[in-house]
Amino acid sequence: MLVIALAGFVQQANGQQMKIGVFDLDLMVQAMPGYRAVDSSLQIYERDSLSAEYEFYNTEYKRLDSTYSADSAASKAKSVLDLIKQQRQQVAMNIIYWQQIAQNKIEQKRAIMAQPLYEKVANAYKKVLDTRKYTLILKPNTFELGSNIENIFPYVARELKIELPAELGGGQPLDDDEPVKKPAPKTTPKK
């Protein structure tokens, strides 16, 4: 709110019209046709690779725990027991924080797989910004309704030549899409 108030003050001081738009790169990438393939691949990665890794940690923890118990009963050297205990603790930490670890791995994989889509959207976004000359860009849900804010999603979608979902503003006419008004037909004055 402070940024908007400050921007309004600057606008009044300069006597210029402030042009505010709303856009989110991540939402636009998710609207791209190729994103479904990324999402499907991530689900397979999560189901096959990450679940196998989690199962490995559980099995390894059980193995290290039984090894530690057996070596303790056999009175093995303290250095050997400490090493096994340390390894067991490391595996236990992976199990405890597995949700966070898995989420990080998924996000890293998503970033790699969706990189070409991000590049396309970023290039189209830059073209729209260069053409439309916005003063300030906000993310969705960061402004009050009724504000004079322009939705940039349809312009970027047009640049990408994709159909935009309705929740991002698809199907709505754009400012520069309004039909050109034809001049009224000339009439001859009646005598």
Side-chain angles (χ1 to χ4, degrees):
M1 294 307 251
L2 179 62
V3 171
I4 292 173
L6 181 60
F9 177 77
V10 170
Q11 171 190 357
Q12 289 175 352
N14 292 336
Q16 296 175 347
Q17 175 92 11
M18 183 165 183
K19 193 168 184 182
I20 303 173
V22 62
F23 188 76
D24 187 318
L25 194 68
D26 294 325
L27 290 176
M28 191 69 208
V29 168
Q30 292 169 12
M32 294 284 289
Y35 190 76
R36 286 188 192 98
V38 170
D39 206 32
S40 296
S41 296
L42 287 173
Q43 289 173 0
I44 293 168
Y45 171 70
E46 185 175 7
R47 184 187 66 225
D48 295 347
S49 299
L50 294 181
S51 63
E53 189 174 343
Y54 181 71
E55 188 58 40
F56 168 78
Y57 285 133
N58 280 317
T59 303
E60 185 66 6
Y61 181 81
K62 290 174 186 172
R63 184 190 70 78
L64 289 169
D65 191 48
S66 63
T67 301
Y68 182 80
S69 297
D71 287 354
S72 291
S75 299
K76 294 270 181 152
K78 182 178 176 351
S79 61
V80 171
L81 292 175
D82 287 346
L83 178 64
I84 295 170
K85 185 177 179 180
Q86 180 184 12
Q87 290 172 342
R88 184 180 66 176
Q89 286 174 340
Q90 287 174 343
V91 172
M93 292 303 284
N94 285 340
I95 293 170
I96 291 168
Y97 292 108
W98 180 250
Q99 290 292 15
Q100 186 176 8
I101 292 168
Q103 189 62 39
N104 288 342
K105 288 183 177 211
I106 289 170
E107 291 307 315
Q108 288 172 350
K109 189 85 159 169
R110 181 186 320 275
I112 292 168
M113 295 176 72
Q115 184 62 35
L117 296 174
Y118 274 97
E119 288 173 5
K120 286 179 184 177
V121 170
N123 289 334
Y125 178 55
K126 287 176 188 175
K127 285 180 184 178
V128 169
L129 291 181
D130 289 344
T131 304
R132 309 232 6 120
K133 308 290 185 208
Y134 293 97
T135 310
L136 179 66
I137 306 296
L138 301 172
K139 290 211 177 232
N141 302 322
T142 59
F143 56 91
E144 293 289 324
L145 290 176
S147 302
N148 189 18
I149 298 177
E150 191 172 272
N151 184 0
I152 301 175
F153 287 99
Y155 296 103
V156 175
R158 181 177 60 191
E159 186 68 36
L160 291 167
K161 296 174 178 56
I162 66 167
E163 192 168 322
L164 191 63
E167 61 267 12
L168 294 179
Q172 297 176 4
L174 302 175
D175 288 346
D176 51 349
D177 285 348
E178 294 175 345
V180 177
K181 294 182 181 178
K182 295 181 183 177
K186 293 184 181 181
T187 58
T188 54
K190 293 184 181 179
K191 293 184 182 180

